[in-house]
Amino acid sequence: MLAVHDLFFRYQKKSPFLLSGLSFELKEGELVMLLGANGTGKSTLLGLLNGRLQPDSGTVTLNGTALSSLPARDRAKLIATVHQLPEELPGFTVAEMVMLGRTPYLSRLGNPSGTDREVVREILDLLELSPLSARDMRQLSGGERQRVMLAAALARKTPYLLLDEPTAAADPAHRISLLRLLKNLPWHPGILTITHDITAAQDFADRYLLLDSTGKLETASALNAENITRLYGKDAVFFLK
């Protein structure tokens, strides 16, 4: 279980806290969606959950062990993160980019094993990327690039996935198919995904984390007019089912 207890964070010591007193748990096998307006610290929270950032106070633990005490390679085998797409991508092929997801498992020489190659083939098939495997990343559309970055994370087969708007660049059909895929991954990871897609969140999330403009977090089992208005304003209620 990935657990957060009474977490506080700010980027500068004299500035107000961006995140204040956050506590929640993410269990294997559940899909939790994190909602909140732009600038509330959602991406920052993912950085705290994967160990890239350190809290001012509070704890992040993984199966009872402080995340900060784990070597980076061990953390990478347990938690995979998909960030928002960078503006520039290196000139790797799709298959090479997905193989990079296996980096924590590669030998010191960086040579993929037969298992690594098999996992990459499996994930390429799973995300319907096999026909693009030899394509240069720079030749892909935004939605295709996003699927490749997700594939690289899935290739680690970690028990936890942290996803920063993983379907933002996808068309409606691919958005639904990707969310359905995440919901039904055969190794049943715990998934925390940032989203602004209220309708899709209602269809696929097991529960919700709602981050407001004051840096406070609440857990909700349903989205309703009250909590959506608090997060985004009353016009956002239009997207509720």
Side-chain angles (χ1 to χ4, degrees):
M1 181 170 62
L2 187 60
V4 174
H5 178 68
D6 204 23
L7 184 146
F8 286 79
F9 178 83
R10 56 188 170 186
Y11 282 102
Q12 296 179 339
K13 286 190 176 181
K14 293 186 178 180
S15 63
F17 284 105
L18 178 63
L19 302 172
S20 301
L22 274 58
S23 297
F24 64 91
E25 298 173 346
L26 177 65
K27 299 175 182 178
E28 289 186 54
E30 66 175 351
L31 175 56
V32 177
M33 294 204 176
L34 173 61
L35 290 85
N38 291 333
T40 52
K42 299 184 300 299
S43 297
T44 297
L45 178 56
L46 294 197
L48 290 160
L49 292 177
N50 66 19
R52 182 177 60 85
L53 299 173
Q54 296 301 316
D56 287 75
S57 63
T59 60
V60 180
T61 60
L62 186 57
N63 298 327
T65 300
L67 195 65
S68 59
S69 71
L70 296 173
R73 189 179 181 93
D74 290 347
R75 290 201 308 268
K77 292 178 180 179
L78 296 167
I79 302 171
T81 307
V82 179
H83 300 286
Q84 293 184 5
L85 282 176
E87 292 185 8
E88 297 293 333
L89 287 172
F92 294 125
T93 67
V94 167
E96 289 169 341
M97 182 63 76
V98 177
M99 182 61 77
L100 284 178
R102 297 292 298 171
T103 298
Y105 301 96
L106 300 183
S107 68
R108 291 182 180 275
L109 298 177
N111 297 321
S113 67
T115 298
D116 296 319
R117 297 184 190 280
E118 179 58 34
V119 169
V120 168
R121 283 193 292 269
E122 174 192 344
I123 298 300
L124 287 170
D125 287 344
L126 190 65
L127 275 87
E128 300 179 347
L129 289 167
S130 296
L132 303 177
S133 60
R135 186 84 59 87
D136 189 304
M137 287 288 295
R138 294 169 295 189
Q139 298 174 341
L140 302 181
S141 69
E144 288 169 337
R145 290 182 183 187
Q146 201 165 45
R147 268 194 293 153
V148 174
M149 302 309 288
L150 177 59
L154 294 182
R156 289 196 209 169
K157 292 202 171 180
T158 55
Y160 297 95
L161 284 169
L162 308 175
L163 310 177
D164 197 344
E165 298 191 63
T167 63
D171 61 45
H174 278 110
R175 185 178 307 154
I176 296 303
S177 67
L178 284 172
L179 289 170
R180 188 174 290 123
L181 180 150
L182 291 171
K183 186 80 171 176
N184 296 287
L185 287 171
W187 61 97
H188 307 298
I191 303 173
L192 177 62
T193 178
I194 294 172
T195 186
H196 289 301
D197 191 334
I198 295 170
T199 303
Q202 288 181 286
D203 284 335
F204 291 97
D206 294 313
R207 58 188 175 90
Y208 311 93
L209 296 177
L210 310 178
L211 187 61
D212 67 24
S213 59
T214 69
K216 302 287 187 181
L217 189 77
E218 69 171 284
T219 299
S221 59
L223 299 178
N224 54 48
E226 181 181 353
N227 55 35
I228 287 299
T229 298
R230 187 164 62 253
L231 292 182
Y232 298 110
K234 63 181 181 179
D235 288 343
V237 174
F238 173 82
F239 294 101
L240 283 171
K241 291 179 126 185

